[in-house]
């Protein structure tokens, strides 16, 4: 096995690779896509799958139509619609497009992204502030502000540099060892005391490129014969960027994870990425306009006030409700 954990030394890490501190990213994203025929158990399987998907050029049409999956014998499973409400014909129900247009801004721990369907009928904005996060949903003329304590409470947790690029300071600081893999290297980082879960990367340190990242249970967890990957990201069609320092980013990232029916995937087609740029802090301020529905987590139905509710991400939802006199 290329990725054997025997005799792992803990003197090296990936901390010299570039990690953005701020940035603006424009991309197309599809999340929660069920993919059939993903036969991945080991990191060697991850690398073989990456080679097949990366065998030939990629463009926005081949990616968003899912045609490129055929290179690896994969198939997207079309989601089934739930039963329609009484009196509603299923033919009249419109599917929400899988791909959304996304703009992402981040600065340190502050984060904001907007998602919109190509037809413009649905629009979401999520802002992560100092103490909480808010999701704004717009459907037609109706706008609702949903206030949460943590980003993990929302379904859009994948839109971070960690998941799009496998680049985050905490992710790259673990100790482990490098092994050659052709002209590239495999880095294994054993995380002590975290449910036996390990990280492993395919990297090109000369070009500052991260080509694949997987999380797996070590041999002793399942069986002594093979490692067991339960989530992985592959980065395809790498391109060089010179600013703020030379590094490589993917044109396409596919983030796979296990679900109840098999493997699911979040896909990101990256159209533009500018890093270490000045993002005004005002970008991350969210005020609830007067008379707009405001929904704090656990509060039903949404409430509204005749005055503006200012800067809600600087406080927890419970604090906002207390200030509004809601019990």
């Amino acid at each position: 096995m290329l990725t054997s954990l025997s005799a792992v030394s803990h003197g090296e890490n990936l901390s010299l690779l570039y990690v953005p501190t701020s940035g603006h990213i424009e991309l197309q994203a599809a999340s929660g896509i069920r993919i059939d025929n993903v036969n991945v158990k080991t990191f060697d399987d991850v690398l073989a799958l990456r080679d097949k998907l990366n065998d030939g050029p990629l463009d926005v049409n081949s990616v968003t139509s899912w045609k490129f999956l055929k290179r690896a014998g994969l198939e997207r499973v079309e989601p089934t619609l739930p039963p329609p409400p009484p009196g509603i014909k299923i033919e009249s129900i419109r599917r929400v497009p899988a791909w959304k247009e996304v703009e992402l801004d981040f600065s340190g721990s502050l984060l904001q992204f907007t998602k919109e369907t190509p037809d413009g009928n649905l629009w979401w904005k999520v802002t992560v502030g100092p103490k909480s996060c808010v999701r704004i949903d717009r459907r037609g003329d109706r706008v609702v502000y949903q206030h949460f304590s943590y980003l993990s409470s929302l379904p859009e947790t994948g839109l971070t540099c960690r998941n799009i690029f496998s680049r985050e300071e905490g992710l790259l600081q673990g100790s482990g060892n490098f092994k050659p893999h052709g002209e590239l290297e495999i880095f294994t980082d054993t995380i002590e005391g975290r449910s036996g879960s390990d990280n492993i990367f395919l990297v090109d340190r000369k070009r500052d490129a991260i080509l694949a990242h997987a999380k797996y249970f070590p041999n002793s967890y399942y069986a002594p014969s093979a490692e067991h990957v339960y989530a992985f990201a592959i980065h395809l069609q790498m391109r060089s960027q010179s600013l703020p320092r030379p590094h490589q980013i993917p044109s396409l990232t596919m983030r796979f994870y296990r679900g109840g029916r098999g493997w699911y995937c979040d896909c990101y087609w990256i159209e533009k990425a500018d890093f270490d740029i000045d993002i005004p802090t005002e970008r991350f301020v969210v005020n609830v306009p007067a008379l707009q529905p405001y929904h704090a987590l656990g509060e039903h139905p949404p409430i509204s006030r005749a005055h503006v509710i200012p800067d809600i991400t600087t406080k927890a939802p419970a604090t906002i409700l207390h200030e509004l006199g809601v019990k």
Side-chain angles (χ1 to χ4, degrees), residues 2 44 53 70 86 94 100 108 111 126 144 159 161 196 205 216 246-247 283 305 311 318:
L2 290 171
D44 291 338
L53 290 169
K70 295 180 180 179
R94 299 174 59 184
K100 317 290 192 307
L111 173 73
V126 172
V144 176
L159 288 167
C161 274
R205 284 191 286 177
Y216 66 97
H247 65 284
R283 184 76 55 86
R305 288 293 183 267
D311 204 3

Side-chain angles (χ1 to χ4, degrees), residues 112 125 127 280-287 310-314:
Q112 182 178 95
K125 177 188 282 187
T127 302
T281 56
E282 293 80 9
R283 184 76 55 86
F284 308 101
V285 174
V286 179
N287 303 316
D311 204 3
I312 61 175
T313 62
T314 61

Side-chain angles (χ1 to χ4, degrees), residues 1-8 39-48 177-181 186-188 200 214 216-219 223-229:
M1 293 291 296
L2 290 171
T3 55
S4 171
L5 294 181
S6 60
V8 172
N39 299 313
V40 168
K41 292 183 179 179
T42 71
F43 194 57
D44 291 338
D45 297 334
V46 173
L47 301 186
N177 75 327
F178 290 91
K179 292 185 178 181
H181 181 75
I186 292 176
F187 176 78
T188 303
I200 189 166
Y216 66 97
F217 296 116
N219 292 349
S225 59
E227 295 147 359
H228 192 93
V229 170

Side-chain angles (χ1 to χ4, degrees), residues 15-52:
S15 61
L16 291 180
L17 296 183
Y18 170 64
V19 176
T21 59
S22 64
H24 173 80
I25 306 168
E26 297 177 10
L27 65 154
Q28 295 195 44
S31 59
I33 306 300
R34 185 180 162 200
I35 305 290
D36 271 356
N37 304 324
V38 182
N39 299 313
V40 168
K41 292 183 179 179
T42 71
F43 194 57
D44 291 338
D45 297 334
V46 173
L47 301 186
L49 179 60
R50 183 187 183 277
D51 287 343
K52 291 177 182 178

Side-chain angles (χ1 to χ4, degrees), residues 93-97 100 115-117 119-125 135-146 155-156 292-293:
I93 298 178
R94 299 174 59 184
R95 289 183 180 271
V96 176
K100 317 290 192 307
K115 296 172 62 177
E116 186 172 3
T117 56
D119 57 14
N121 287 330
L122 301 176
W123 178 91
W124 305 262
K125 177 188 282 187
R135 170 174 165 163
I136 307 172
D137 283 32
R138 188 186 72 204
R139 295 171 181 257
D141 295 331
R142 179 173 172 78
V143 180
V144 176
Y145 288 70
Q146 301 183 72
E156 299 93 352
Q292 287 289 358

